[in-house]
Amino acid sequence: MGISEPFLQPEMASPDLDNRQQHLEYLMRRFGDKVLYLAYSYLHDRYWAEDVAQEVFIRVYTHLDKFEGRSSIYTWIYHITVNLCRDQLRALSRRREQEPVNYQEQAITGVEDRVLEKLQQQELWRAVLNLPLIYREVIWFYYYEQLGLKDIAKILGISLPAVKIRLYRARQHLQQVLKVGDGNA
């Protein structure tokens, strides 16, 4: 899955507007839901996740001609998504310092909302979402996206040993959280 996605073909980076639009549409169909779920796992907010997903594909479209094929298109898109999510989280922390944030609960409609709601209800998913970001992202890529450790290292821009350590610590943390949850039953 995922990383075996074929490299972007050279003709996909063609300046021909119709060709670029066709390739963007294909990439949005192929990776749109995955990008949305990844963004949601970072941001915990459906609307922010949708905004980030839109921005990801805007950047893919504008930089399609710069894609060099050194990694799969899947890895490239996920790298853009991770960077945009991190930027959003940094901006949010700066805004929180300046003004209080008012959250309003929105009515949940549509298929995407139901899928996200179902994921939120699962005990394991909640535990993953409560992990510190550095652990949550490796768990997401390893288990939910089924990426290899080397690919995760590329996407996150960290070393392979760092990925292994984060994955190990994330598993330990999840084990402790789930044991505490079982003890309270």
Side-chain angles (χ1 to χ4, degrees):
M1 176 181 192
I3 289 305
S4 63
E5 182 73 22
F7 289 161
L8 187 64
Q9 303 300 319
E11 63 272 9
M12 289 178 79
S14 161
D16 178 6
L17 184 61
D18 288 334
N19 194 28
R20 287 172 61 96
Q21 287 176 342
Q22 288 175 352
H23 293 300
L24 178 65
E25 289 173 14
Y26 165 76
L27 293 173
M28 289 175 69
R29 280 192 311 275
R30 177 72 175 91
F31 301 113
D33 288 341
K34 292 179 180 187
V35 166
L36 180 63
Y37 294 142
L38 176 60
Y40 183 81
S41 76
Y42 271 85
L43 303 171
H44 303 270
D45 183 279
R46 176 183 162 250
Y47 300 103
W48 283 352
E50 287 175 350
D51 288 346
V52 165
Q54 278 186 332
E55 181 64 26
V56 165
F57 288 107
I58 289 170
R59 290 193 183 185
V60 166
Y61 182 78
T62 57
H63 299 291
L64 199 55
D65 57 335
K66 295 178 184 171
F67 180 73
E68 297 175 357
R70 287 187 270 165
S71 64
S72 72
I73 190 74
Y74 180 81
T75 303
W76 183 60
I77 291 171
Y78 269 47
H79 188 72
I80 293 170
T81 306
V82 167
N83 286 339
L84 286 172
C85 288
R86 287 177 177 171
D87 291 346
Q88 285 289 322
L89 291 172
R90 280 191 291 272
L92 175 63
S93 73
R94 285 192 297 271
R95 281 192 302 259
R96 281 186 181 160
E97 293 171 2
Q98 295 172 356
E99 61 186 56
V101 178
N102 183 15
Y103 294 101
Q104 295 179 356
E105 192 166 328
Q106 302 287 331
I108 298 179
T109 59
V111 175
E112 294 167 341
D113 292 326
R114 281 183 255 135
V115 169
L116 293 175
E117 181 182 25
K118 184 178 179 180
L119 288 174
Q120 284 179 316
Q121 293 172 354
Q122 298 173 2
E123 183 180 356
L124 179 59
W125 180 244
R126 282 193 305 266
V128 168
L129 287 177
N130 287 325
L131 286 173
L133 180 61
I134 63 171
Y135 300 140
R136 188 172 59 225
E137 60 192 8
V138 295
I139 290 289
W140 174 268
F141 286 127
Y142 190 77
Y143 290 105
Y144 290 95
E145 296 300 328
Q146 300 177 353
L147 296 177
L149 298 177
K150 288 180 183 178
D151 295 319
I152 296 169
K154 283 182 190 176
I155 290 170
L156 298 177
I158 59 176
S159 68
L160 182 60
V163 171
K164 291 178 181 179
I165 289 169
R166 288 181 185 184
L167 188 58
Y168 174 78
R169 289 180 181 164
R171 288 176 182 148
Q172 282 185 318
H173 186 75
L174 285 173
Q175 228 173 13
Q176 290 172 352
V177 168
L178 294 174
K179 280 182 186 177
V180 168
D182 290 341
N184 292 336

mmCIF file of all heavy atoms in Angstrom, residues 171-181:
data_model
loop_
_atom_site.group_PDB
_atom_site.id
_atom_site.type_symbol
_atom_site.label_atom_id
_atom_site.label_comp_id
_atom_site.label_asym_id
_atom_site.label_seq_id
_atom_site.Cartn_x
_atom_site.Cartn_y
_atom_site.Cartn_z
ATOM 1 N N ARG A 171 4.326 2.906 21.585
ATOM 2 C CA ARG A 171 3.695 1.628 21.958
ATOM 3 C C ARG A 171 3.661 1.461 23.473
ATOM 4 O O ARG A 171 2.650 1.017 24.025
ATOM 5 C CB ARG A 171 4.464 0.465 21.337
ATOM 6 C CG ARG A 171 4.289 0.324 19.850
ATOM 7 C CD ARG A 171 5.170 -0.780 19.331
ATOM 8 N NE ARG A 171 5.099 -0.939 17.899
ATOM 9 C CZ ARG A 171 6.105 -1.347 17.153
ATOM 10 N NH1 ARG A 171 7.278 -1.641 17.698
ATOM 11 N NH2 ARG A 171 5.963 -1.472 15.857
ATOM 12 N N GLN A 172 4.753 1.820 24.129
ATOM 13 C CA GLN A 172 4.795 1.724 25.588
ATOM 14 C C GLN A 172 3.726 2.624 26.215
ATOM 15 O O GLN A 172 3.021 2.206 27.126
ATOM 16 C CB GLN A 172 6.171 2.140 26.123
ATOM 17 C CG GLN A 172 7.243 1.103 25.979
ATOM 18 C CD GLN A 172 8.534 1.564 26.639
ATOM 19 O OE1 GLN A 172 8.931 2.718 26.515
ATOM 20 N NE2 GLN A 172 9.176 0.653 27.343
ATOM 21 N N HIS A 173 3.638 3.840 25.725
ATOM 22 C CA HIS A 173 2.665 4.787 26.260
ATOM 23 C C HIS A 173 1.238 4.267 26.059
ATOM 24 O O HIS A 173 0.412 4.319 26.975
ATOM 25 C CB HIS A 173 2.843 6.155 25.606
ATOM 26 C CG HIS A 173 1.988 7.217 26.193
ATOM 27 N ND1 HIS A 173 2.261 7.792 27.407
ATOM 28 C CD2 HIS A 173 0.842 7.785 25.739
ATOM 29 C CE1 HIS A 173 1.319 8.672 27.684
ATOM 30 N NE2 HIS A 173 0.448 8.690 26.679
ATOM 31 N N LEU A 174 0.940 3.765 24.864
ATOM 32 C CA LEU A 174 -0.385 3.225 24.588
ATOM 33 C C LEU A 174 -0.699 2.032 25.491
ATOM 34 O O LEU A 174 -1.818 1.898 25.979
ATOM 35 C CB LEU A 174 -0.511 2.824 23.119
ATOM 36 C CG LEU A 174 -0.661 3.960 22.123
ATOM 37 C CD1 LEU A 174 -0.596 3.430 20.696
ATOM 38 C CD2 LEU A 174 -1.959 4.710 22.343
ATOM 39 N N GLN A 175 0.290 1.185 25.696
ATOM 40 C CA GLN A 175 0.107 0.021 26.566
ATOM 41 C C GLN A 175 -0.278 0.472 27.975
ATOM 42 O O GLN A 175 -1.192 -0.071 28.582
ATOM 43 C CB GLN A 175 1.401 -0.790 26.615
ATOM 44 C CG GLN A 175 1.227 -2.245 26.400
ATOM 45 C CD GLN A 175 2.580 -2.947 26.293
ATOM 46 O OE1 GLN A 175 3.633 -2.397 26.603
ATOM 47 N NE2 GLN A 175 2.536 -4.172 25.840
ATOM 48 N N GLN A 176 0.408 1.473 28.484
ATOM 49 C CA GLN A 176 0.121 1.981 29.831
ATOM 50 C C GLN A 176 -1.277 2.594 29.899
ATOM 51 O O GLN A 176 -2.023 2.340 30.841
ATOM 52 C CB GLN A 176 1.167 3.015 30.255
ATOM 53 C CG GLN A 176 2.524 2.430 30.514
ATOM 54 C CD GLN A 176 3.581 3.513 30.751
ATOM 55 O OE1 GLN A 176 3.322 4.688 30.580
ATOM 56 N NE2 GLN A 176 4.770 3.079 31.147
ATOM 57 N N VAL A 177 -1.626 3.384 28.913
ATOM 58 C CA VAL A 177 -2.941 4.033 28.902
ATOM 59 C C VAL A 177 -4.056 2.994 28.835
ATOM 60 O O VAL A 177 -5.047 3.086 29.563
ATOM 61 C CB VAL A 177 -3.047 5.029 27.710
ATOM 62 C CG1 VAL A 177 -4.473 5.486 27.493
ATOM 63 C CG2 VAL A 177 -2.138 6.203 27.942
ATOM 64 N N LEU A 178 -3.879 1.999 27.973
ATOM 65 C CA LEU A 178 -4.927 0.981 27.828
ATOM 66 C C LEU A 178 -5.021 0.078 29.053
ATOM 67 O O LEU A 178 -6.107 -0.361 29.413
ATOM 68 C CB LEU A 178 -4.692 0.163 26.558
ATOM 69 C CG LEU A 178 -4.851 0.977 25.260
ATOM 70 C CD1 LEU A 178 -4.452 0.147 24.045
ATOM 71 C CD2 LEU A 178 -6.238 1.532 25.112
ATOM 72 N N LYS A 179 -3.909 -0.163 29.749
ATOM 73 C CA LYS A 179 -3.953 -0.941 30.981
ATOM 74 C C LYS A 179 -4.711 -0.181 32.060
ATOM 75 O O LYS A 179 -5.499 -0.764 32.797
ATOM 76 C CB LYS A 179 -2.544 -1.257 31.491
ATOM 77 C CG LYS A 179 -1.891 -2.414 30.782
ATOM 78 C CD LYS A 179 -0.525 -2.699 31.382
ATOM 79 C CE LYS A 179 0.182 -3.774 30.577
ATOM 80 N NZ LYS A 179 1.534 -4.026 31.094
ATOM 81 N N VAL A 180 -4.476 1.106 32.176
ATOM 82 C CA VAL A 180 -5.185 1.932 33.148
ATOM 83 C C VAL A 180 -6.676 1.922 32.838
ATOM 84 O O VAL A 180 -7.509 1.820 33.729
ATOM 85 C CB VAL A 180 -4.629 3.385 33.157
ATOM 86 C CG1 VAL A 180 -5.532 4.311 33.941
ATOM 87 C CG2 VAL A 180 -3.229 3.395 33.729
ATOM 88 N N GLY A 181 -7.025 1.994 31.564
ATOM 89 C CA GLY A 181 -8.437 1.963 31.150
ATOM 90 C C GLY A 181 -9.083 0.655 31.523
ATOM 91 O O GLY A 181 -10.242 0.616 31.953
#
